[in-house]
Amino acid sequence: GDGIDLLHHLRRHRWTGTAMLISGYLTEENEVLARAAGYSVVLRKPLPETVIVTTLERLLDGNAVAG
C-alpha cells in the first residue's frame, strides 16, 4: 500500500487526525487522490527542511495550509 491507502484505512477506523503527505513520487493525479483522502497538506520532495517545520507548526496551530 501507499500513504493514500493508509489514510483511507485510518479514516475507515474513525481516525480524525490531521495528515500531511510528503512524497518524492507525487503525480498530479496522486495529489488529487491524496487531498480527496483527507490529507490537509501535500508536499513534493525535495524540499527545504524549513518548509516541513513551518508546515508542521501551522498544522499544530490549527491553521490549514496549502502545499
Side-chain angles (χ1 to χ4, degrees):
D2 59 22
I4 295 170
D5 291 336
L6 174 62
L7 189 56
H8 278 299
H9 175 80
L10 292 170
R11 297 294 191 217
R12 279 194 307 272
H13 288 86
R14 303 201 192 292
W15 184 75
T16 60
T18 301
M20 178 172 75
L21 178 68
I22 303 172
S23 175
Y25 304 100
L26 196 61
T27 64
E28 287 183 36
E29 179 183 355
N30 283 343
E31 183 171 353
V32 169
L33 292 172
R35 292 191 184 281
Y39 280 98
S40 298
V41 176
V42 178
L43 299 173
R44 282 187 177 90
K45 292 191 289 187
L47 67 153
E49 185 178 305
T50 55
V51 171
I52 298 170
V53 171
T54 301
T55 302
L56 286 171
E57 287 173 345
R58 289 181 182 161
L59 286 172
L60 291 171
D61 286 342
N63 299 318
V65 199

